Amino acid sequence: MRIVLLAACALLLTGCAGDSASTPADASKGAPVVAAPSPTNGWCADPELNDKQVTFASQGGYLAGYLLGDARAKVALVLAPQSGADACSWLGWAKQQAAAGYRVLAFDFNGEGRSVRGITGTFTPSGDVEAAAAYAREQGAVGVVLIGASRGGTAVLVAAARLMPPAAGVVSVSGVAEYMHENAVQAAPRLTVPVLYLVAKDDSRAADDARAMYDATPGERRTLSVIPGRGHGRGLVTEGSDGSAEASAAIAAFLTANAKPA
């Protein structure tokens, strides 16, 4: 009897192993290869986000983020974080924009924060921005403005150069010319939408890159706003920081001119 039971167990284990081995084959037919992250209570140390967390597919994985504002809002702001930061870095400003009438989607890049990277293949930051813009449209947005800080500023420019339907506008806050082999100076000549390059005067590398990207952008729908101080990325628009009042005013004027909340 003991021999029979051991044989049965061996058969069961073989069957289980066979089921597990079938997963990659199923994935090759288009099935997801990773699981979407579950909501996290008190994410960003803010219980109000418990029912505002979202996930959506991107480049073989899933991005985690939060979606604020009235679901009837027709203009969405997609917020891409800088290196070393996640969606939480935008939270205070995102709440202000939601109160102003925008739908606001902030997300973690592929494999960072609560987002889950795909098992195989490569990814680009701009690809995540495109996925976020598509998700915002799926939720009812008609116009989408891409806003990124530092490496996020590079990603939104590269994404905006190929995004279809086109974005309503793009804002690069301290964006750098190149990040993860994506070159915003090379993408800039293909931009056909309103663009705001926002940078602090004493943020030397970013200031030089902003001028280079501005010079490479065609047409009259480009704006270069150089703010006093040395703030960088999301910190440049943090309330109370050096130059934050001027930076916030520049973004507000750009949004009013190109993407008023409906």
Side-chain angles (χ1 to χ4, degrees), residues 19 21-33 120:
D19 290 344
S22 68
T23 302
D26 293 341
S28 68
K29 297 176 182 177
V33 294
T120 60

Side-chain angles (χ1 to χ4, degrees), residues 5 19 22 26 45-46 51-52 72 76 88 99 102 104 115 146 190 198 200 229 251:
L5 287 173
D19 290 344
S22 68
D26 293 341
D46 189 344
D51 61 349
K52 297 176 177 62
R72 295 169 295 181
C88 298
Y102 291 101
V104 185
S115 293
L146 309 179
R190 302 193 301 276
L198 180 63
I251 297 177

Side-chain angles (χ1 to χ4, degrees), residues 146-247:
L146 309 179
I147 303 175
S150 193
R151 61 90 184 259
T154 308
V156 296
L157 291 167
V158 175
R162 63 173 182 256
L163 189 67
M164 294 300 294
V170 57
V171 179
S172 175
V173 184
S174 311
V176 293
E178 185 173 1
Y179 187 87
M180 283 187 64
H181 307 296
E182 293 198 293
N183 193 307
V185 177
Q186 293 177 0
R190 302 193 301 276
L191 290 169
T192 60
V193 301
V195 187
L196 170 62
Y197 297 101
L198 180 63
V199 68
K201 179 181 179 181
D202 297 327
D203 186 5
S204 57
R205 178 193 171 187
D208 290 343
D209 287 356
R211 291 186 180 92
M213 293 183 290
Y214 172 81
D215 289 342
T217 303
E220 302 300 321
R221 308 178 77 186
R222 56 181 183 159
T223 302
L224 174 62
S225 184
V226 181
I227 304 300
R230 62 183 65 205
H232 181 80
R234 178 62 190 88
L236 187 58
V237 293
T238 299
E239 186 174 354
S241 67
D242 187 19
S244 64
E246 294 92 336

Side-chain angles (χ1 to χ4, degrees), residues 37-61:
S38 300
T40 298
N41 287 337
W43 188 32
C44 304
D46 189 344
E48 292 182 5
L49 292 185
N50 288 352
D51 61 349
K52 297 176 177 62
Q53 296 176 48
V54 297
T55 60
F56 49 93
S58 177
Q59 305 180 93

